[in-house]
Every structure is written in structure tokens, then in C-alpha cells.
Amino acid sequence: KQEVTQIPAALSVPEGENLVLNCSFTDSAIYNLQWFRQDPGKGLTSLLLIQSSQREQTSGRLNASLDKSSGRSTLYIAASQPGDSATYLCAVGDQGAQKLVFGQGTRLTINP
Amino acid sequence: GAVVSQHPSRVICKSGTSVKIECRSLDFQATTMFWYRQFPKQSLMLMATSNEGSKATYEQGVEKDKFLINHASLTLSTLTVTSAHPEDSSFYICSARGSWRDTQYFGPGTRLTVL
């Protein structure tokens, strides 16, 4: 059974810093991996989608990497801003039904 | 594109009543829809997967008679929480995926509070 773990559970940094969020998964036979953002009481916003054959994806100040063999992904946020404050969720898509298994999330606070 | 809506966004009901939540794909045909629940400060847990015109597939531990799912059209799925109890209070989120898309698109969620 796939298990997804995110470290740290919470992170608080000053504005302008670069930061890395970590995601690990137990079964490397994945279809894809996604990073989402969730604001309090809201739904999910997809940030980046990495296919199993890819190593990384970039969108603006965000860069996500995937190392399937080691079961790890990282989300790099450059030049963080207070508006980046949210919970970031990592989700792994299985090869069959493409179900998503979510990690517990990292609660990120960017201090002005 | 790829917008998913949910209605209602928030509902409060008395214990023992049933509540229906709608999930709609507004600009694409969703061959598959997913229902998740999220408890406070916890992650999303998949409850069930439904394909249009077929019975939903429920995850282990989810009571199919309590959480009725209908996916009658390519743009609408409903989740009915029957005989709701306070422990059913949660944030319910749906997602939808088209046959040609590689990702799920999520709705804004429905906050259910059972008194």
C-alpha cells in the first residue's frame, strides 16, 4: 500500500528566502506525482505535475523534482513571498486507476 | 478551462438527516470523478471513485450504504451522506478527470457540520 510522507509538517521562513519541501513515497511504481497548494478552508490548486518518466517540472518560482528510484520528490520555492503561505500537498498517482495518495502536507508560513 | 464546482460550499444539518453534495465539471466531460474527505489539519483521504454510468468503487473502510454516490452524467456526480452523525462532519472535496486528461481537477470543497 502506497504511503506518502511530507517533511517538515510546518515551516516558517522570512520573506525572500528560498526553501525546499520534501515528499517521500514507499512504492516507486507510480504514474505521476503532483504538488498542490491548499489555502485554509479552500480546495486544491494544482501547482506542478511530474510524469513518472520526467525528472523535474518548473513553473515560475516553483521547481519540482522527482527521483522515482529513491521514492522522493522536492518542491523548491525561490524568493518566497507572503502570498506563498499555504499548505502544500504532495500526491502520488498509482499506475492503475490513477488514484491519488496524498501526504499530510507542509504548512508554510512566509513572514514579511 | 477544467473548472470543477461543488454545491453547497457549506452545510449545517441535524443528526439523522441526509445531505446531498453536488460536483460538476463545468467545461469538460468527466469520465471519472473522485470523492475525498479531509478532517481538520489532516490530508485528503479518497472515499470512492465513480465512472459515469457505473457503480462507484469504494475504498476500504468507507460505508457504501452511508455515502451514496451517483455519477449519472458526464458532468455531474453527487455524494449523499445518509443519516448523518456528528462524526461525519468534515470537508468533502470532489475531483474530476476527463478521458484525455492526465490529472484530476479539484472542486472547492464542501464543509459539512452535523449537529
Side-chain angles (χ1 to χ4, degrees), chain B residues 3-7 22-26 94 106-109:
Chain B
V3 178
V4 177
S5 70
Q6 276 186 248
H7 179 79
E22 293 186 349
C23 176
R24 294 182 184 271
S25 57
L26 299 184
C94 74
F106 285 79

Side-chain angles (χ1 to χ4, degrees), chain A:
Chain A
K1 179 185 174 186
Q2 180 74 268
E3 292 182 4
V4 181
T5 303
Q6 289 186 247
I7 295 173
L11 180 64
S12 180
V13 301
E15 180 179 2
E17 281 201 4
N18 304 325
L19 57 98
V20 175
L21 307 181
N22 297 291
C23 171
S24 62
F25 46 95
T26 54
D27 185 349
S28 62
I30 66 171
Y31 187 82
N32 56 27
L33 184 144
Q34 271 186 281
W35 283 92
F36 294 89
R37 169 187 173 135
Q38 185 177 30
D39 292 289
K42 304 292 185 182
L44 274 63
T45 300
S46 180
L47 298 173
L48 290 165
L49 168 68
I50 310 176
Q51 301 293 351
S52 61
S53 58
Q54 298 175 321
R55 297 281 294 184
E56 67 176 348
Q57 282 287 332
T58 299
S59 176
R61 294 182 293 108
L62 306 180
N63 175 275
S65 68
L66 174 63
D67 184 343
K68 252 186 22 170
S69 60
S70 67
R72 295 176 187 270
S73 175
T74 60
L75 178 67
Y76 175 82
I77 302 177
S80 58
Q81 303 171 356
D84 294 331
S85 298
T87 295
Y88 289 80
L89 294 165
C90 165
V92 171
D94 73 345
Q95 288 194 335
Q98 295 185 31
K99 295 180 184 178
L100 291 178
V101 178
F102 284 83
Q104 298 283 62
T106 293
R107 202 162 53 254
L108 176 65
T109 303
I110 306 299
N111 302 303

Side-chain angles (χ1 to χ4, degrees), chain A residues 6 31-32 34 36 38 41-44 46 49 51 89-90 97-105 107, chain B residues 32 34 36 38 41-46 49 57-59 91 93 97 101-104 106-109 111:
Chain A
Q6 289 186 247
Y31 187 82
N32 56 27
Q34 271 186 281
F36 294 89
Q38 185 177 30
K42 304 292 185 182
L44 274 63
S46 180
L49 168 68
Q51 301 293 351
L89 294 165
C90 165
Q98 295 185 31
K99 295 180 184 178
L100 291 178
V101 178
F102 284 83
Q104 298 283 62
R107 202 162 53 254
Chain B
T32 307
F34 304 83
Y36 298 83
Q38 184 179 35
K41 297 191 178 180
Q42 294 189 26
S43 193
L44 278 73
M45 297 297 293
L46 180 65
T49 303
T57 301
Y58 290 81
E59 295 300 300
F91 193 52
I93 303 178
R97 188 185 73 211
R101 294 179 185 264
D102 232 357
T103 187
Q104 298 177 26
F106 285 79
R111 172 75 58 193

Side-chain angles (χ1 to χ4, degrees), chain B residues 8 10 13 17-18 25 27 32 38 42 45 60 63 66 68-71 74 79 87-88 90 98 101 103 108-109 115:
Chain B
R10 186 180 295 267
C13 69
T17 60
S18 293
S25 57
D27 53 2
T32 307
Q38 184 179 35
Q42 294 189 26
M45 297 297 293
Q60 193 172 6
E63 301 174 56
K66 180 166 187 63
L68 301 179
I69 292 172
N70 184 285
H71 190 170
L74 284 172
L79 168 67
E87 57 265 30
D88 298 323
S90 187
R101 294 179 185 264
T103 187
L115 303 176

